[in-house]
Amino acid sequence: MKILVINCGSSSLKYQLIDMDGEKVIAKGLVERIGIEGSRIKHETIGKEKKVIEEPLKDHNDALKLVMNSIVDPEFGAIKSLDEIGAVGHRVVHGGEDFAQSVVIDDNVMEAINKNVEVAPLHNPPNIMGIEACKSLLPNVKQVAVFDTAFHQTMPPINYLYAIPYKFYEKYKIRRYGFHGTSHMYITNRTAEILGKDVNEINLITCHLGNGSSITAVKNGKSYDTSMGFTPLDGLAMGTRSGIIDPAIVPYLMEKEHLSAEQVNNILNKESGVLGISGVSSDFRDIEDACSEGNERSKLALDIFENNVRKIIGAYMTEFKSLDEIDAIVFTAGLGENSKETRANIINGLSAFGLKIDDEANNMRGEERIISSPESKIKVLSIPTNEELMIARDTLRLVK
Ligand code: ADP
Protein backbone atom coordinates (compact mmCIF):
# COMPACT_ATOMS: atom_id res chain seq x y z
CA MET A 1 0.00 0.00 0.00
CA LYS A 2 1.15 3.57 -0.72
CA ILE A 3 0.71 6.00 2.14
CA LEU A 4 0.86 9.77 1.98
CA VAL A 5 2.32 11.36 5.12
CA ILE A 6 1.39 15.00 5.76
CA ASN A 7 2.97 17.40 8.24
CA CYS A 8 1.28 20.82 8.16
CA GLY A 9 2.76 23.91 9.76
CA SER A 10 1.14 27.35 9.78
CA SER A 11 2.66 28.39 6.45
CA SER A 12 4.41 25.22 5.33
CA LEU A 13 3.57 21.63 4.51
CA LYS A 14 5.96 18.67 4.31
CA TYR A 15 4.93 15.43 2.65
CA GLN A 16 6.23 12.01 1.75
CA LEU A 17 4.67 9.28 -0.33
CA ILE A 18 5.88 5.95 1.03
CA ASP A 19 5.43 2.54 -0.57
CA MET A 20 4.93 0.33 2.47
CA ASP A 21 5.93 -2.68 0.41
CA GLY A 22 9.62 -2.32 1.33
CA GLU A 23 9.02 0.96 3.25
CA LYS A 24 10.55 3.04 0.43
CA VAL A 25 9.99 6.77 -0.01
CA ILE A 26 8.88 7.27 -3.61
CA ALA A 27 8.25 11.02 -3.53
CA LYS A 28 8.69 13.84 -1.07
CA GLY A 29 8.49 17.57 -0.90
CA LEU A 30 7.85 20.81 0.85
CA VAL A 31 5.36 23.60 0.23
CA GLU A 32 6.45 26.94 1.63
CA ARG A 33 4.89 30.36 2.18
CA ILE A 34 1.28 29.16 2.10
CA GLY A 35 -0.99 32.23 2.24
CA ILE A 36 2.03 34.53 1.78
CA GLU A 37 3.43 36.06 -1.40
CA GLY A 38 5.97 33.83 -3.12
CA SER A 39 4.41 30.42 -2.34
CA ARG A 40 6.16 27.47 -3.92
CA ILE A 41 6.48 23.71 -3.90
CA LYS A 42 9.75 21.79 -3.99
CA HIS A 43 8.85 18.31 -5.20
CA GLU A 44 11.08 15.31 -5.71
CA THR A 45 10.12 11.95 -7.10
CA ILE A 46 12.98 9.64 -6.17
CA GLY A 47 15.03 8.86 -9.27
CA LYS A 48 13.73 11.90 -11.19
CA GLU A 49 14.83 15.49 -11.37
CA LYS A 50 13.66 17.83 -8.56
CA LYS A 51 10.97 20.32 -9.49
CA VAL A 52 10.25 23.77 -8.05
CA ILE A 53 6.93 25.40 -8.93
CA GLU A 54 6.03 28.92 -7.84
CA GLU A 55 2.31 29.53 -7.69
CA PRO A 56 0.02 31.62 -5.48
CA LEU A 57 -1.45 29.37 -2.76
CA LYS A 58 -4.04 31.07 -0.58
CA ASP A 59 -4.50 28.23 1.90
CA HIS A 60 -3.69 24.62 2.82
CA ASN A 61 -6.36 23.37 0.42
CA ASP A 62 -4.56 25.04 -2.51
CA ALA A 63 -1.26 23.67 -1.20
CA LEU A 64 -2.56 20.11 -1.03
CA LYS A 65 -4.09 20.36 -4.51
CA LEU A 66 -0.64 21.28 -5.81
CA VAL A 67 0.91 18.38 -3.85
CA MET A 68 -1.60 15.93 -5.40
CA ASN A 69 -1.01 17.35 -8.90
CA SER A 70 2.75 17.04 -8.45
CA ILE A 71 2.49 13.45 -7.24
CA VAL A 72 0.50 12.39 -10.35
CA ASP A 73 2.24 14.66 -12.87
CA PRO A 74 2.99 12.58 -16.00
CA GLU A 75 6.49 14.04 -16.28
CA PHE A 76 7.85 14.48 -12.75
CA GLY A 77 5.24 12.64 -10.67
CA ALA A 78 5.44 9.30 -8.84
CA ILE A 79 2.10 7.57 -9.49
CA LYS A 80 -0.44 7.49 -12.32
CA SER A 81 -3.55 8.22 -10.30
CA LEU A 82 -4.53 9.38 -6.82
CA ASP A 83 -6.46 6.09 -6.51
CA GLU A 84 -3.10 4.49 -5.75
CA ILE A 85 -2.97 6.32 -2.38
CA GLY A 86 -4.23 3.78 0.16
CA ALA A 87 -4.33 6.06 3.21
CA VAL A 88 -3.12 9.39 4.55
CA GLY A 89 -1.23 9.78 7.85
CA HIS A 90 -1.26 13.23 9.47
CA ARG A 91 1.11 14.52 12.10
CA VAL A 92 -1.02 16.23 14.75
CA VAL A 93 0.88 18.09 17.44
CA HIS A 94 -1.47 18.00 20.42
CA GLY A 95 -3.75 15.15 21.38
CA GLY A 96 -4.10 16.33 24.98
CA GLU A 97 -5.20 13.56 27.32
CA ASP A 98 -7.62 12.24 24.71
CA PHE A 99 -5.14 10.24 22.66
CA ALA A 100 -2.51 7.82 23.91
CA GLN A 101 -2.29 6.30 20.43
CA SER A 102 -2.81 7.07 16.77
CA VAL A 103 -6.40 6.89 15.49
CA VAL A 104 -8.41 6.69 12.30
CA ILE A 105 -9.99 10.13 11.92
CA ASP A 106 -13.79 10.40 12.21
CA ASP A 107 -16.10 13.16 13.43
CA ASN A 108 -15.47 12.38 17.10
CA VAL A 109 -11.71 12.52 16.58
CA MET A 110 -12.01 15.87 14.75
CA GLU A 111 -14.02 17.20 17.66
CA ALA A 112 -11.32 16.15 20.13
CA ILE A 113 -8.51 17.64 17.99
CA ASN A 114 -10.51 20.86 17.78
CA LYS A 115 -10.99 20.84 21.54
CA ASN A 116 -7.22 20.64 21.99
CA VAL A 117 -6.69 23.86 20.01
CA GLU A 118 -7.09 25.49 23.42
CA VAL A 119 -3.80 23.97 24.63
CA ALA A 120 -2.05 24.15 21.22
CA PRO A 121 -3.28 27.37 19.60
CA LEU A 122 -0.26 27.61 17.28
CA HIS A 123 0.06 23.98 16.28
CA ASN A 124 -3.30 22.25 15.97
CA PRO A 125 -5.08 24.72 13.61
CA PRO A 126 -2.74 24.07 10.62
CA ASN A 127 -2.97 20.31 11.31
CA ILE A 128 -6.77 20.59 11.19
CA MET A 129 -6.61 22.54 7.92
CA GLY A 130 -4.46 19.78 6.40
CA ILE A 131 -6.90 17.06 7.45
CA GLU A 132 -9.93 19.00 6.15
CA ALA A 133 -8.20 19.62 2.81
CA CYS A 134 -7.25 15.94 2.42
CA LYS A 135 -10.79 14.87 3.30
CA SER A 136 -12.20 17.02 0.52
CA LEU A 137 -9.54 16.04 -2.05
CA LEU A 138 -9.50 12.31 -1.23
CA PRO A 139 -13.01 11.69 0.17
CA ASN A 140 -12.81 7.90 -0.02
CA VAL A 141 -9.38 7.50 1.55
CA LYS A 142 -8.94 6.78 5.27
CA GLN A 143 -7.06 9.44 7.24
CA VAL A 144 -5.09 8.69 10.39
CA ALA A 145 -3.91 11.14 13.06
CA VAL A 146 -0.54 10.50 14.74
CA PHE A 147 0.01 12.72 17.77
CA ASP A 148 3.29 14.19 19.04
CA THR A 149 1.95 13.88 22.56
CA ALA A 150 0.62 10.30 22.40
CA PHE A 151 3.85 8.44 23.30
CA HIS A 152 4.15 10.50 26.49
CA GLN A 153 0.69 9.66 27.82
CA THR A 154 2.28 6.79 29.80
CA MET A 155 4.08 9.25 32.12
CA PRO A 156 3.07 8.89 35.77
CA PRO A 157 1.52 11.87 37.65
CA ILE A 158 4.76 12.45 39.61
CA ASN A 159 6.30 13.44 36.28
CA TYR A 160 3.39 15.10 34.50
CA LEU A 161 1.98 17.28 37.27
CA TYR A 162 3.39 20.72 37.97
CA ALA A 163 3.40 21.82 41.61
CA ILE A 164 0.74 24.48 41.18
CA PRO A 165 -2.77 24.30 42.70
CA TYR A 166 -4.30 20.99 41.60
CA LYS A 167 -7.48 22.76 40.57
CA PHE A 168 -5.66 24.19 37.53
CA TYR A 169 -4.98 20.69 36.30
CA GLU A 170 -8.64 19.84 36.79
CA LYS A 171 -9.94 23.08 35.32
CA TYR A 172 -7.52 23.72 32.43
CA LYS A 173 -5.59 20.45 32.07
CA ILE A 174 -2.36 22.29 32.83
CA ARG A 175 0.23 19.49 33.02
CA ARG A 176 3.31 18.20 31.23
CA TYR A 177 2.34 16.65 27.88
CA GLY A 178 5.68 16.32 26.10
CA PHE A 179 6.27 16.49 22.36
CA HIS A 180 8.44 14.84 19.64
CA GLY A 181 6.73 11.62 20.78
CA THR A 182 6.78 10.08 17.30
CA SER A 183 10.55 10.57 17.16
CA HIS A 184 11.20 9.27 20.70
CA MET A 185 9.06 6.22 19.89
CA TYR A 186 10.84 5.54 16.60
CA ILE A 187 14.21 5.79 18.36
CA THR A 188 13.00 3.47 21.14
CA ASN A 189 11.90 0.80 18.62
CA ARG A 190 15.02 1.14 16.50
CA THR A 191 17.39 0.99 19.48
CA ALA A 192 15.67 -2.19 20.69
CA GLU A 193 16.20 -3.71 17.24
CA ILE A 194 19.86 -2.67 17.10
CA LEU A 195 20.62 -3.92 20.61
CA GLY A 196 18.57 -7.10 20.08
CA LYS A 197 16.30 -6.40 23.06
CA ASP A 198 12.56 -6.76 23.55
CA VAL A 199 11.17 -3.23 23.15
CA ASN A 200 8.95 -3.77 26.22
CA GLU A 201 12.04 -4.26 28.35
CA ILE A 202 14.26 -1.49 27.06
CA ASN A 203 15.35 1.46 29.25
CA LEU A 204 16.73 4.51 27.51
CA ILE A 205 17.43 8.21 27.65
CA THR A 206 16.58 9.51 24.17
CA CYS A 207 17.88 12.94 23.15
CA HIS A 208 16.07 14.60 20.21
CA LEU A 209 18.35 17.59 19.56
CA GLY A 210 17.27 19.73 16.62
CA ASN A 211 15.85 23.16 16.19
CA GLY A 212 13.43 22.13 18.92
CA SER A 213 14.94 19.75 21.45
CA SER A 214 13.65 17.33 24.05
CA ILE A 215 14.93 14.45 26.14
CA THR A 216 12.86 11.46 27.25
CA ALA A 217 13.43 8.82 29.92
CA VAL A 218 12.05 5.58 28.46
CA LYS A 219 11.25 2.82 30.97
CA ASN A 220 10.29 -0.60 29.63
CA GLY A 221 9.77 0.92 26.18
CA LYS A 222 7.37 3.59 27.48
CA SER A 223 7.82 7.30 28.08
CA TYR A 224 8.36 7.85 31.80
CA ASP A 225 9.50 11.47 31.83
CA THR A 226 10.19 14.08 29.18
CA SER A 227 11.63 17.57 29.15
CA MET A 228 9.05 19.46 27.06
CA GLY A 229 6.00 20.34 29.10
CA PHE A 230 2.59 21.98 28.83
CA THR A 231 3.99 23.50 25.63
CA PRO A 232 7.18 22.84 23.62
CA LEU A 233 8.80 25.78 25.44
CA ASP A 234 9.83 23.78 28.52
CA GLY A 235 13.07 21.90 29.12
CA LEU A 236 16.24 22.57 27.16
CA ALA A 237 17.39 25.87 25.71
CA MET A 238 16.74 25.47 21.96
CA GLY A 239 17.28 27.36 18.70
CA THR A 240 14.97 30.23 19.70
CA ARG A 241 13.18 28.90 22.83
CA SER A 242 14.37 29.61 26.35
CA GLY A 243 13.60 26.22 27.86
CA ILE A 244 13.19 26.14 31.62
CA ILE A 245 13.48 29.52 33.38
CA ASP A 246 12.39 30.89 36.72
CA PRO A 247 8.66 31.58 36.11
CA ALA A 248 8.97 34.79 38.13
CA ILE A 249 10.94 36.26 35.21
CA VAL A 250 7.67 36.52 33.25
CA PRO A 251 5.82 39.03 35.45
CA TYR A 252 9.12 40.84 36.15
CA LEU A 253 9.75 41.40 32.42
CA MET A 254 6.12 42.39 31.85
CA GLU A 255 6.44 45.08 34.48
CA LYS A 256 9.93 46.35 33.62
CA GLU A 257 9.48 46.43 29.84
CA HIS A 258 5.73 47.19 29.81
CA LEU A 259 5.03 44.05 27.83
CA SER A 260 1.87 42.00 27.42
CA ALA A 261 1.75 38.28 28.22
CA GLU A 262 1.74 37.60 24.49
CA GLN A 263 4.85 39.72 23.94
CA VAL A 264 6.78 37.90 26.67
CA ASN A 265 5.60 34.57 25.28
CA ASN A 266 6.93 35.67 21.91
CA ILE A 267 10.32 36.62 23.38
CA LEU A 268 10.62 33.26 25.14
CA ASN A 269 9.57 31.28 22.04
CA LYS A 270 11.19 33.23 19.22
CA GLU A 271 14.01 35.42 20.55
CA SER A 272 15.62 33.26 23.22
CA GLY A 273 17.64 30.03 23.30
CA VAL A 274 20.98 29.96 21.48
CA LEU A 275 19.78 32.86 19.31
CA GLY A 276 19.09 34.98 22.38
CA ILE A 277 22.43 34.23 24.03
CA SER A 278 24.65 34.39 20.93
CA GLY A 279 22.89 37.19 19.07
CA VAL A 280 24.19 35.35 15.99
CA SER A 281 21.68 32.73 14.83
CA SER A 282 19.22 30.05 15.89
CA ASP A 283 20.92 27.57 13.56
CA PHE A 284 23.48 25.42 15.31
CA ARG A 285 25.70 25.28 12.21
CA ASP A 286 26.01 29.09 12.24
CA ILE A 287 26.74 28.99 15.97
CA GLU A 288 29.46 26.35 15.49
CA ASP A 289 30.99 28.41 12.66
CA ALA A 290 30.93 31.57 14.77
CA CYS A 291 32.59 29.64 17.64
CA SER A 292 35.44 28.56 15.43
CA GLU A 293 35.94 32.21 14.47
CA GLY A 294 36.29 33.04 18.17
CA ASN A 295 32.82 34.51 18.82
CA GLU A 296 32.58 34.37 22.62
CA ARG A 297 28.81 34.57 22.97
CA SER A 298 28.30 31.78 20.46
CA LYS A 299 30.66 29.65 22.53
CA LEU A 300 28.65 30.58 25.62
CA ALA A 301 25.36 29.67 23.86
CA LEU A 302 26.69 26.24 22.88
CA ASP A 303 28.11 25.64 26.37
CA ILE A 304 24.74 26.53 27.94
CA PHE A 305 22.90 24.22 25.55
CA GLU A 306 25.25 21.29 26.16
CA ASN A 307 25.15 21.89 29.92
CA ASN A 308 21.32 21.86 29.79
CA VAL A 309 21.43 18.50 28.00
CA ARG A 310 23.90 17.02 30.51
CA LYS A 311 21.82 18.18 33.48
CA ILE A 312 18.64 16.61 32.13
CA ILE A 313 20.41 13.35 31.25
CA GLY A 314 21.80 13.37 34.82
CA ALA A 315 18.34 14.01 36.26
CA TYR A 316 16.80 11.20 34.21
CA MET A 317 19.42 8.75 35.43
CA THR A 318 17.78 9.12 38.83
CA GLU A 319 14.55 7.68 37.38
CA PHE A 320 16.25 4.26 37.29
CA LYS A 321 17.34 2.07 40.21
CA SER A 322 20.90 1.85 38.95
CA LEU A 323 22.93 2.87 35.94
CA ASP A 324 23.10 -0.82 34.97
CA GLU A 325 19.37 -0.69 34.22
CA ILE A 326 19.90 1.89 31.46
CA ASP A 327 20.47 0.15 28.12
CA ALA A 328 21.56 3.25 26.22
CA ILE A 329 21.59 7.01 25.76
CA VAL A 330 20.61 7.84 22.18
CA PHE A 331 21.14 11.00 20.10
CA THR A 332 18.90 11.94 17.19
CA ALA A 333 17.55 14.87 15.05
CA GLY A 334 19.46 17.60 13.16
CA LEU A 335 22.10 18.30 15.77
CA GLY A 336 22.12 14.92 17.53
CA GLU A 337 22.59 13.04 14.27
CA ASN A 338 25.10 15.40 12.73
CA SER A 339 27.30 17.16 15.28
CA LYS A 340 30.10 14.96 16.58
CA GLU A 341 31.43 17.84 18.71
CA THR A 342 28.11 18.30 20.53
CA ARG A 343 27.77 14.55 21.16
CA ALA A 344 31.35 14.29 22.43
CA ASN A 345 31.08 17.37 24.67
CA ILE A 346 27.85 16.11 26.22
CA ILE A 347 28.99 12.56 26.85
CA ASN A 348 32.56 13.30 27.95
CA GLY A 349 31.11 15.88 30.35
CA LEU A 350 29.24 13.04 32.05
CA SER A 351 32.44 11.23 33.04
CA ALA A 352 31.25 11.27 36.68
CA PHE A 353 28.82 8.54 35.59
CA GLY A 354 31.53 6.59 33.75
CA LEU A 355 30.42 7.66 30.27
CA LYS A 356 32.97 7.91 27.46
CA ILE A 357 32.75 8.59 23.75
CA ASP A 358 34.76 6.61 21.18
CA ASP A 359 36.25 9.36 19.00
CA GLU A 360 36.63 7.14 15.96
CA ALA A 361 33.09 5.72 16.08
CA ASN A 362 31.71 9.20 16.76
CA ASN A 363 33.49 10.67 13.75
CA MET A 364 30.48 10.55 11.44
CA ARG A 365 27.22 12.20 10.44
CA GLY A 366 23.75 10.78 9.99
CA GLU A 367 24.70 7.14 10.51
CA GLU A 368 23.24 4.55 12.83
CA ARG A 369 25.87 3.37 15.25
CA ILE A 370 27.21 2.85 18.76
CA ILE A 371 29.50 5.80 19.52
CA SER A 372 30.58 5.04 23.10
CA SER A 373 33.89 3.41 23.94
CA PRO A 374 33.76 -0.20 25.16
CA GLU A 375 34.57 0.87 28.75
CA SER A 376 31.69 3.39 28.89
CA LYS A 377 29.33 2.56 31.77
CA ILE A 378 26.29 3.09 29.48
CA LYS A 379 26.20 2.54 25.72
CA VAL A 380 25.69 5.67 23.61
CA LEU A 381 24.16 5.53 20.13
CA SER A 382 23.41 7.98 17.36
CA ILE A 383 20.40 7.09 15.20
CA PRO A 384 18.78 9.24 12.48
CA THR A 385 15.13 9.73 13.35
CA ASN A 386 12.33 8.96 10.88
CA GLU A 387 9.04 10.43 12.05
CA GLU A 388 7.45 10.05 8.59
CA LEU A 389 8.09 6.30 8.53
CA MET A 390 6.67 5.98 12.05
CA ILE A 391 3.52 7.86 10.94
CA ALA A 392 3.23 5.66 7.83
CA ARG A 393 3.63 2.46 9.88
CA ASP A 394 0.94 3.51 12.35
CA THR A 395 -1.34 4.51 9.47
CA LEU A 396 -0.90 1.15 7.75
CA ARG A 397 -1.53 -0.74 11.01
CA LEU A 398 -4.77 1.15 11.63
CA VAL A 399 -6.27 1.00 8.13
CA LYS A 400 -5.46 -2.63 7.45
P1 ADP B 1 13.50 20.62 13.36
O1 ADP B 1 13.33 20.73 14.84
O2 ADP B 1 13.18 21.90 12.63
O3 ADP B 1 12.92 19.37 12.73
P2 ADP B 1 16.08 19.43 12.78
O4 ADP B 1 15.95 18.19 13.56
O5 ADP B 1 16.13 19.33 11.29
O6 ADP B 1 15.06 20.54 13.19
O7 ADP B 1 17.42 20.15 13.28
C1 ADP B 1 17.83 21.38 12.76
C2 ADP B 1 19.09 21.83 13.51
O8 ADP B 1 20.13 20.86 13.31
C3 ADP B 1 19.61 23.15 12.99
O9 ADP B 1 19.92 24.03 14.06
C4 ADP B 1 20.87 22.76 12.28
O10 ADP B 1 21.83 23.75 12.35
C5 ADP B 1 21.33 21.53 13.04
N1 ADP B 1 22.26 20.76 12.20
C6 ADP B 1 22.01 20.13 11.05
N2 ADP B 1 23.16 19.60 10.54
C7 ADP B 1 24.16 19.95 11.39
C8 ADP B 1 25.57 19.73 11.45
N3 ADP B 1 26.19 19.06 10.50
N4 ADP B 1 26.26 20.23 12.49
C9 ADP B 1 25.62 20.92 13.45
N5 ADP B 1 24.30 21.16 13.46
C10 ADP B 1 23.58 20.69 12.46
Side-chain angles (χ1 to χ4, degrees):
M1 185 190 285
K2 294 184 183 79
I3 290 179
L4 180 62
V5 175
I6 302 283
N7 180 355
C8 276
S10 56
S11 67
S12 71
L13 186 167
K14 288 189 218 157
Y15 62 95
Q16 283 194 2
L17 183 65
I18 303 179
D19 187 347
M20 295 311 283
D21 190 13
E23 295 190 334
K24 286 254 169 349
V25 177
I26 49 180
K28 61 182 176 178
L30 168 68
V31 187
E32 293 169 304
R33 304 182 65 85
I34 302 169
I36 313 172
E37 205 183 324
S39 0
R40 60 174 174 252
I41 187 171
K42 293 179 184 162
H43 173 88
E44 181 185 7
T45 294
I46 307 306
K48 293 186 183 176
E49 217 168 289
K50 287 184 194 161
K51 188 87 187 167
V52 179
I53 304 169
E54 295 205 13
E55 196 178 300
L57 302 167
K58 66 175 181 315
D59 54 24
H60 287 71
N61 203 51
D62 280 1
L64 272 162
K65 264 188 213 156
L66 185 55
V67 170
M68 306 291 176
N69 289 342
S70 303
I71 287 173
V72 297
D73 188 273
E75 180 203 333
F76 58 85
I79 50 175
K80 287 202 176 66
S81 144
L82 292 179
D83 294 341
E84 289 180 51
I85 299 175
V88 183
H90 295 268
R91 174 194 183 206
V92 180
V93 172
H94 217 309
E97 288 188 326
D98 298 301
F99 301 103
Q101 261 159 31
S102 307
V103 280
V104 175
I105 298 170
D106 61 16
D107 290 347
N108 291 334
V109 169
M110 283 313 281
E111 202 177 303
I113 298 174
N114 269 303
K115 192 187 82 191
N116 283 308
V117 166
E118 201 162 310
V119 284
L122 299 177
H123 295 98
N124 277 18
N127 302 154
I128 293 167
M129 288 189 270
I131 296 170
E132 296 290 1
C134 274
K135 280 207 292 196
S136 73
L137 293 166
L138 302 168
N140 301 320
V141 176
K142 277 198 180 142
Q143 321 265 335
V144 168
V146 179
F147 302 92
D148 266 28
T149 48
F151 182 61
H152 300 300
Q153 278 296 303
T154 49
M155 278 189 291
I158 54 158
N159 286 334
Y160 74 65
L161 283 180
Y162 291 113
I164 58 174
Y166 193 80
K167 66 178 178 200
F168 294 131
Y169 166 59
E170 294 177 311
K171 218 167 153 184
Y172 304 117
K173 293 282 169 222
I174 296 176
R175 50 160 285 175
R176 180 182 303 284
Y177 289 100
F179 298 86
H180 293 141
T182 312
S183 175
H184 289 291
M185 182 155 95
Y186 173 82
I187 294 301
T188 300
N189 291 339
R190 192 65 201 121
T191 309
E193 279 168 16
I194 293 170
L195 299 182
K197 269 205 90 154
D198 181 345
V199 71
N200 297 312
E201 288 174 7
I202 202 152
N203 294 326
L204 303 170
I205 297 174
T206 53
C207 309
H208 178 111
L209 310 180
N211 198 12
S213 297
S214 68
I215 302 186
T216 297
V218 175
K219 239 186 207 184
N220 297 320
K222 295 187 176 66
S223 174
Y224 186 76
D225 201 355
T226 195
S227 61
M228 280 182 170
F230 177 57
T231 73
L233 184 57
D234 201 358
L236 303 163
M238 310 178 206
T240 61
R241 290 177 223 156
S242 65
I244 193 165
I245 58 165
D246 180 342
I249 294 169
V250 175
Y252 189 82
L253 262 183
M254 287 171 74
E255 210 176 298
K256 287 281 176 195
E257 296 266 311
H258 310 292
L259 299 171
S260 65
E262 195 192 338
Q263 285 170 315
V264 176
N265 197 31
N266 216 36
I267 291 172
L268 297 178
N269 271 290
K270 303 208 170 125
E271 298 171 23
S272 300
V274 292
L275 169 68
I277 297 285
S278 70
V280 168
S281 172
S282 64
D283 192 300
F284 281 91
R285 276 167 296 200
D286 299 340
I287 305 267
E288 285 183 1
D289 290 349
C291 278
S292 51
E293 285 158 14
N295 184 300
E296 288 294 327
R297 267 172 44 200
S298 292
K299 170 92 176 69
L300 185 59
L302 260 192
D303 287 349
I304 289 174
F305 173 77
E306 288 165 1
N307 196 38
N308 270 207
V309 175
R310 280 192 295 266
K311 285 200 274 195
I312 293 192
I313 292 177
Y316 287 0
M317 285 178 178
T318 68
E319 307 273 27
F320 300 92
K321 285 199 193 76
S322 85
L323 296 187
D324 296 327
E325 269 196 358
I326 306 172
D327 295 294
I329 294 170
V330 192
F331 289 102
T332 194
L335 189 63
E337 291 165 20
N338 292 306
S339 176
K340 61 181 178 189
E341 291 85 5
T342 300
R343 293 187 302 241
N345 291 342
I346 292 168
I347 293 302
N348 290 334
L350 289 164
S351 58
F353 299 96
L355 300 191
K356 194 161 185 274
I357 211 91
D358 178 327
D359 287 327
E360 209 179 307
N362 186 42
N363 188 13
M364 60 81 193
R365 245 188 217 183
E367 285 177 36
E368 217 173 50
R369 73 162 78 141
I370 296 176
I371 55 169
S372 48
S373 75
E375 69 261 31
S376 182
K377 177 84 181 152
I378 302 172
K379 281 196 184 73
V380 183
L381 285 86
S382 180
I383 300 179
T385 194
N386 196 339
E387 287 156 292
E388 291 79 11
L389 180 59
M390 197 74 234
I391 293 173
R393 281 181 185 163
D394 255 17
T395 303
L396 180 68
R397 180 174 59 80
L398 286 168
V399 300
K400 250 190 168 173

